[in-house]
Amino acid sequence: MNIQIRLAKKTDYESVVSIMSQVQDMHVEWRPDIYKHNENLIPQDVFEKMIENDTFYVVESDDLVVGVLEIVYRHVESPSH
């Protein structure tokens, strides 16, 4: 098994949407009081903006995208914020 974590590319869009849809479906099933079904979780233009920031990664196993990770930077002045 060959596992690699790399920056996402535009060509990963369909794989990312598939994974995100699976996760969303689990959320909807487990907590329908909080989550609702959504056909368009990540529009392609939003995905392309996310990957421009070099903060969106995919995990590949034997050349198949099997996971996603987004890093979000937040500035916090102090623990009280």
Side-chain angles (χ1 to χ4, degrees), residues 19-61:
I19 291 169
M20 298 296 287
S21 294
Q22 291 174 40
V23 172
Q24 179 69 10
D25 289 346
M26 286 189 299
H27 284 132
V28 170
E29 182 180 331
W30 296 337
R31 292 298 309 264
D33 57 318
I34 297 173
Y35 296 98
K36 303 296 179 210
H37 184 71
N38 186 342
E39 287 291 327
N40 194 10
L41 288 172
I42 304 175
Q44 189 154 4
D45 61 325
V46 172
F47 176 74
E48 290 177 8
K49 287 179 185 175
M50 291 166 65
I51 63 175
E52 285 175 7
N53 294 327
D54 290 339
T55 58
F56 199 85
Y57 295 80
V58 295
V59 180
E60 282 186 335
S61 177

Side-chain angles (χ1 to χ4, degrees), residues 53-55 57 71-75:
N53 294 327
D54 290 339
T55 58
Y57 295 80
I71 298 173
V72 178
Y73 297 100
R74 299 191 196 271
H75 176 76

